[in-house]
Amino acid sequence: MSSTTGTSTAEVQPRKKGLTRRQKRRLSRGIQYAVFVAAVAALGAGADWGRLQNQFAQVDIARQMFPDVITLALKNTVLYTLSGFLFGLVLGMVVALMRLSSVGPYRWLAGVYIEIFRGLPALLIFIFVGVAVPLAFPGTEIIGGTYGKVALALGLVSAAYMAETIRAGIQAVPKGQMEAARSLGFSPARAMISIIVPQAFRIILPPLTNELVLLFKDSSLVLFLGVTLQERELSKFGNDLASETANSTPILVAGLCYLLVTIPLGFVVRRMESKSQEAVR
């Protein structure tokens, strides 16, 4: 009887319960939000907003930049980016096909090119195009002047990355596609151009768009080629006005102009990535 009574008494006593997983997750998120808000509040309280506004947010100086910051600087930046991207895409496609070639020297040359131009900083490529090329080929002019030099420099840099992206996209296409094309009488070259490459580009479109965003920012290196006033891009334009006015507002405005392009492009990339994932599912 005593043992039975003791057991029943133990069963009647309530059990101590800890936090559930959901409660722990909520508590963790609450702590993280609190830390974030505290950090932002501390940063905001410690900053000298008056000096920041005086140095970076002078409305009169920003107003003087328009419309040239759009019609000249942003336009040149977009043109430089597109020219470098198109040249890099064509060269990257050639290098990618060489990388996949059955001819050994082609594969070796493509591999050396990719390793060299992926390993060198973009700044050195711009200096090489602006200084070494005229010394190596005296009396010759690159077609397109500054735009041609920028297309060459940006294209050489981007082609090394795009070549690997294109190669991965081609290899991601099922081998049965090539076999089916060959069974229909397509030559290997025609099958690659008509069947494989279009499918590969649908796969690699998001990373290629990411490369376009990177090139848009790398176009700021144009200043090392020595540009005229009418050939200035956003960074050069903002830096020159900042020196003239002894104020950093032009640099802030130039940065906002970069965001006008990079943020929509980033949104497009995310949309394409989500659509490609849905297609795979």
Side-chain angles (χ1 to χ4, degrees):
M1 292 294 293
S2 60
S3 60
T4 305
T5 304
T7 304
S8 60
T9 304
E11 290 178 353
V12 171
Q13 291 179 353
R15 297 179 180 178
K16 295 181 180 180
K17 294 183 178 180
L19 296 176
T20 64
R21 290 185 178 180
R22 179 177 297 180
Q23 291 173 334
K24 289 180 180 179
R25 287 196 297 265
R26 289 179 179 176
L27 179 61
S28 176
R29 284 196 299 266
I31 293 174
Q32 293 176 32
Y33 283 129
V35 171
F36 175 76
V37 171
V40 172
L43 184 64
D48 190 339
W49 294 104
R51 295 182 62 183
L52 286 174
Q53 181 179 1
N54 182 61
Q55 186 66 23
F56 288 95
Q58 290 295 322
V59 179
D60 294 337
I61 297 176
R63 190 179 295 115
Q64 296 174 8
M65 299 178 65
F66 292 88
D68 289 344
V69 68
I70 301 296
T71 59
L72 177 67
L74 182 58
K75 182 197 72 174
N76 284 336
T77 302
V78 172
L79 290 177
Y80 292 148
T81 303
L82 292 179
S83 61
F85 181 79
L86 292 176
F87 178 73
L89 183 62
V90 174
L91 181 59
M93 184 69 195
V94 173
V95 175
L97 293 176
M98 291 175 62
R99 185 79 162 165
L100 296 172
S101 174
S102 58
V103 181
Y106 287 168
R107 293 197 306 272
W108 182 81
L109 287 174
V112 170
Y113 171 84
I114 290 171
E115 293 301 325
I116 290 177
F117 282 91
R118 283 203 308 178
L120 290 176
L123 174 60
L124 294 184
I125 305 301
F126 272 84
I127 295 175
F128 172 80
V129 171
V131 177
V133 172
L135 291 176
F137 305 97
T140 59
E141 289 290 338
I142 297 177
I143 299 174
T146 301
Y147 293 97
K149 292 178 182 178
V150 175
L152 178 60
L154 287 178
L156 288 174
V157 174
S158 62
Y161 293 93
M162 285 194 279
E164 286 295 272
T165 302
I166 295 171
R167 178 189 61 80
I170 291 175
Q171 291 180 330
V173 176
K175 295 182 179 180
Q177 297 291 320
M178 175 63 78
E179 296 173 357
R182 294 299 305 277
S183 65
L184 293 175
F186 284 75
S187 64
R190 185 183 175 189
M192 178 65 70
I193 295 173
S194 303
I195 306 297
I196 305 301
V197 171
Q199 296 185 61
F201 268 85
R202 283 197 294 268
I203 298 172
I204 64 175
L205 196 55
L208 286 182
T209 310
N210 273 328
E211 184 63 28
L212 180 62
V213 174
L214 294 176
L215 283 182
F216 186 75
K217 294 184 293 183
D218 286 343
S219 63
S220 61
L221 298 173
V222 171
L223 62 92
F224 290 97
L225 295 178
V227 295
T228 64
L229 292 177
Q230 295 301 314
E231 295 171 340
R232 292 179 297 176
E233 42 70 51
L234 281 172
S235 293
K236 177 66 173 173
F237 185 85
N239 186 60
D240 288 348
L241 288 181
S243 300
E244 293 176 9
T245 60
N247 191 275
S248 300
T249 299
I251 296 178
L252 177 63
V253 174
L256 293 176
C257 290
Y258 276 106
L259 294 179
L260 287 177
V261 177
T262 56
I263 290 178
L265 280 177
F267 175 77
V268 171
V269 170
R270 290 191 295 272
R271 290 289 298 173
M272 289 190 297
E273 288 177 346
S274 62
K275 287 185 177 180
S276 63
Q277 291 176 357
E278 291 176 359
V280 171
R281 293 175 184 174

